[in-house]
Amino acid sequence: QVQLVESGGGSVQSGGSLRLSCIASRFTYVGHCMAWFRQALGKGREGVAGLLSDGSTEYADSVKGRFTISRDDAKNTLYLSMNSLKPEDTARYYCAVSPLLCGSGSWSQPTRYNYWGQGTQVTVSS
């Protein structure tokens, strides 16, 4: 069992930055998928950034060039650095860990993930 706890959300103005953290009770899935998702009010859960099984990263088109996913194994922590934030980035952000391997495209399927954090709210005002 893996427990995930996100932090780092908050309210910022358009153009601002935030860094989200997700502390895992353990990183047992070396080489398996880890990702950040978000869910805005009234919308479905959207894959934002994925750390693939081969160590590469992928991003939703809407955040490319602005968001960066990374991990620190020594701290059992997954990060999402968000720059140039826009009002449309407003959502609750969740980290997720999968027991499965994943590649390009498949990382963004929520059904692949068994473990989810409780989420952290990000609000961007114009």
Side-chain angles (χ1 to χ4, degrees):
Q1 192 76 7
V2 177
Q3 294 180 326
L4 305 172
V5 178
E6 300 99 334
S7 63
S11 296
V12 296
Q13 290 191 327
S14 182
S17 299
L18 286 172
R19 188 176 79 157
L20 306 183
S21 299
C22 171
I23 298 176
S25 56
R26 55 180 182 167
F27 271 1
T28 60
Y29 301 119
V30 177
H32 293 179
C33 258
M34 304 181 73
W36 286 94
F37 288 78
R38 67 185 180 188
Q39 188 164 16
L41 280 175
K43 295 188 177 181
R45 196 160 290 193
E46 172 192 22
V48 174
L51 188 57
L52 279 55
S53 299
D54 63 359
S56 63
T57 57
E58 284 196 355
Y59 300 89
D61 288 343
S62 58
V63 307
K64 276 181 185 176
R66 300 188 299 122
F67 290 12
T68 303
I69 186 173
S70 61
R71 65 187 282 176
D72 184 335
D73 289 342
K75 296 181 178 180
N76 282 2
T77 302
L78 184 71
Y79 298 101
L80 183 68
S81 296
M82 306 185 296
N83 298 313
S84 302
L85 283 163
K86 304 175 181 180
E88 50 263 43
D89 295 319
T90 295
R92 192 164 185 85
Y93 285 71
Y94 300 86
C95 65
V97 173
S98 171
L100 305 174
L101 300 177
C102 71
S104 179
S106 63
W107 67 270
S108 62
Q109 299 167 8
T111 53
R112 298 187 68 87
Y113 297 85
N114 281 24
Y115 304 108
W116 295 84
Q118 82 290 349
T120 184
Q121 180 66 33
V122 172
T123 303
V124 184
S125 58
S126 57

